[in-house]
Structure formats: C-alpha cells, structure tokens
Amino acid sequence: MPVVLKTSPLLWTRLAALAFSCVAFSIAVHGGNLQHGTGDFCIFCWAFSFAGTLLVILVELFGLQTRAPVSWKNFPITFACYASLLCLSASIIFPLYFLKGSREGKEVRDFRIVSTVFSCLATIAYMSEVSLTKARPGEVAGYMATGPGLLKVCETFVACIIFVFISDPVLFEDHDALKYCMSVYCICFILSAVIILLCIGEFTGCLPFPFARFLSGYALLAVVLYLSATIIWPIFKFDPKHGGRKDRPSGCSTSPVGLCSWDRAMAVAVLTGVNFILYLADLIYSSRLVFVSA
C-alpha cells in the first residue's frame, strides 16, 4: 500500500498536537501522582485526543480516506474541534485540582506544571487545526466544517459539562421546574448529537425532509427551550421565594478538592446561558443557509 506523505501546515499542526497531547498524559501518568478522579478525566482528554489524531494521520498517510466508514469531509474537523475543547477543559481543570494549593513535593509539582504547559500547547495546536480546515466563504466543504457544524460540536460539549455538574450531586430533584431544565439539556444534546452523526455518516440525504429546513427548525426550538431554561434554573436555584439560596454558603470557601453544590448550580446557570448564545448563533447561521438555498 503506497504511503502518501505531503508536508503542509495542516500536517505539521497535527503532528504538533500529537506530540503535545502525548507528552501531557505521559508526564502526568509518570510523575504526576494523580490520586483524584479528576486526574483520570484529564488523562482521558489527552489520550483520546492523541489516539484520534494518530488515526487521522495514519488514514491520510496511507490514503484510506475513501475506505473510511465516515465522511472524511466532516470527521477530521469534528474530531479536532472536540479535541481542542477537551484539551482546553483539561488545561483549566488540571491546575485547579493539582497545582492550586498543592502540598506535593517539588518534583511532583514540576511534572504537573509540565503537563499543564503541554496541555495548553495541545489546545493551541488543535484550535489551529480547526482554523486551517474550517470552510472559507464560497468554498465547498462538509457541513461540520461550516459555522453551524462547529457550533453543534460546542453545544454538545457544553451540554456534557452541564451533565457533569448537575449529576454529582444531583441538583435537579428539588423541583419539577428543575427537572424540566434537565429535560431541555437532554433533548437538545441528543438532537445535536444525532445531527453530527448524520453528517459524519453522510446520512443527511436519507431524511424525508430538506436537511437545511430541519436544521433551522431545530435551532429555533433549541433557542426557545434554552431561553426558558436560562430563566427557570436561576429562579429555582437562587431565589429564596422558590426554595433557592441567594448567597454562597461559607462552607464553599473551605471546601476540599472540587466544587460545592452551590458553585455547581452557578456553573450550570452560566453554562446554560452560554449554550443559549451558541444556539442563537446557530439559528442565525441556519436561517441564512435556508434563505440562501431558497
């Protein structure tokens, strides 16, 4: 099987991301002394990014794009976008849990600093890859390489972070309104994930209705749902009239590793607003797509 080696800025960017993510998790495993479960998440972020990038490089190196069971116009940039978000989250979480207030020895701390630095470098490399491969104005590209496609990736990722904060401990069982917010997060996440899978698998043509109109209708539905959740969640979590707590408990300041329930609820409120903005931008993009097509 012939090996196709074409040097380009994209290839060098992927090789850099491969090296940086490899160093980040290798150093952390070797000398980071990670005893908290959050360390496993960070190592997963780096290892997953490394493995996926290695797969992309090998497929393109051996010219197997046409034999891949996925759309190669959509898969690499989708993965790069997820990898950049994963490495970004690890770059934020890792120092908060393993550098801030750390009482480990100097050697262990040095290992953790190196992992953090290379995690940041990997984030920059993956963001550069997304910038190099995203669609330019007038360019024919896969849906995931366009603005709405990249927004779908961000929407699902933010929803996953919301699920992490909302589930341990469970924050939505106090009131039916909070359960409604949880249903909003689940419905929008599932539909966005299905759209991504349809694009990667090139199944959009199998739908019994125009894909562009479906995207626009779904984006409008998601904006309405997230707008309601953006309003409802803070009311029933922070308004004393509805059983919430307005002031941050003093115990949160002295809490050990991790966030207290109040901080988690606040994080969910902020991320809900972030996803509302993302879906609003998605609606604007999708509506333009429909009008241009028409």
Side-chain angles (χ1 to χ4, degrees):
M1 183 177 297
V3 176
V4 181
L5 182 59
K6 295 181 179 179
T7 59
S8 65
L10 179 58
L11 175 62
W12 290 116
T13 301
R14 286 173 175 165
L15 290 174
L18 186 74
F20 295 151
S21 58
C22 180
V23 172
F25 78 80
S26 299
I27 293 294
V29 171
H30 176 69
N33 192 24
L34 309 182
Q35 299 177 350
H36 192 269
T38 309
D40 295 334
F41 168 75
C42 294
I43 290 175
F44 165 78
C45 292
W46 299 322
F48 176 79
S49 302
F50 169 82
T53 303
L54 181 61
L55 175 64
V56 170
I57 292 175
L58 290 177
V59 168
E60 297 200 347
L61 188 65
F62 290 100
L64 300 176
Q65 296 93 323
T66 56
R67 299 185 183 182
V70 296
S71 168
W72 210 250
K73 294 184 298 183
N74 291 304
F75 176 77
I77 189 170
T78 303
F79 173 80
C81 192
Y82 273 120
S84 65
L85 293 171
L86 286 171
C87 289
L88 176 62
S89 61
S91 299
I92 297 172
I93 293 172
F94 190 78
L96 286 177
Y97 278 81
F98 298 103
L99 285 179
K100 182 181 179 182
S102 174
R103 296 181 181 178
E104 300 288 346
K106 182 179 184 302
E107 184 179 358
V108 172
R109 185 175 178 83
D110 289 343
F111 277 114
R112 294 177 176 180
I113 291 174
V114 172
S115 290
T116 303
V117 170
F118 276 92
S119 178
C120 294
L121 292 174
T123 302
I124 295 172
Y126 281 115
M127 288 182 175
S128 299
E129 180 181 347
V130 173
S131 177
L132 288 171
T133 53
K134 71 177 181 180
R136 301 295 188 270
E139 179 182 356
V140 178
Y143 175 76
M144 297 307 300
T146 64
L150 296 175
L151 285 171
K152 293 289 189 303
V153 174
C154 295
E155 291 157 6
T156 55
F157 185 82
V158 172
C160 288
I161 301 299
I162 290 176
F163 293 146
V164 171
F165 283 132
I166 208 172
S167 60
D168 185 24
V170 176
L171 300 179
F172 58 88
E173 292 185 341
D174 300 338
H175 199 280
D176 289 340
L178 299 177
K179 294 179 181 178
Y180 163 78
C181 293
M182 183 62 181
S183 67
V184 168
Y185 306 143
C186 292
I187 291 171
C188 294
F189 170 79
I190 292 173
L191 290 177
S192 293
V194 167
I195 290 173
I196 293 174
L197 292 175
L198 287 174
C199 293
I200 293 178
E202 290 192 325
F203 297 128
T204 57
C206 301
L207 297 176
F209 40 76
F211 184 59
R213 293 189 180 277
F214 167 68
L215 292 175
S216 184
Y218 163 61
L220 177 60
L221 173 64
V223 165
V224 174
L225 291 175
Y226 258 95
L227 176 60
S228 62
T230 302
I231 297 172
I232 292 173
W233 181 267
I235 289 176
F236 287 89
K237 270 299 178 182
F238 304 114
D239 188 351
K241 296 180 181 179
H242 297 87
R245 182 164 186 169
K246 183 178 180 181
D247 299 323
R248 186 171 185 258
S250 58
C252 290
S253 301
T254 59
S255 177
V257 176
L259 300 176
C260 66
S261 296
W262 194 92
D263 288 341
R264 289 175 179 269
M266 178 60 69
V268 171
V270 172
L271 291 173
T272 301
V274 170
N275 240 6
F276 166 70
I277 295 173
L278 291 176
Y279 276 109
L280 183 61
D282 194 355
L283 174 61
I284 295 172
Y285 269 113
S286 300
S287 299
R288 288 177 57 188
L289 181 64
V290 170
F291 291 134
V292 169
S293 300

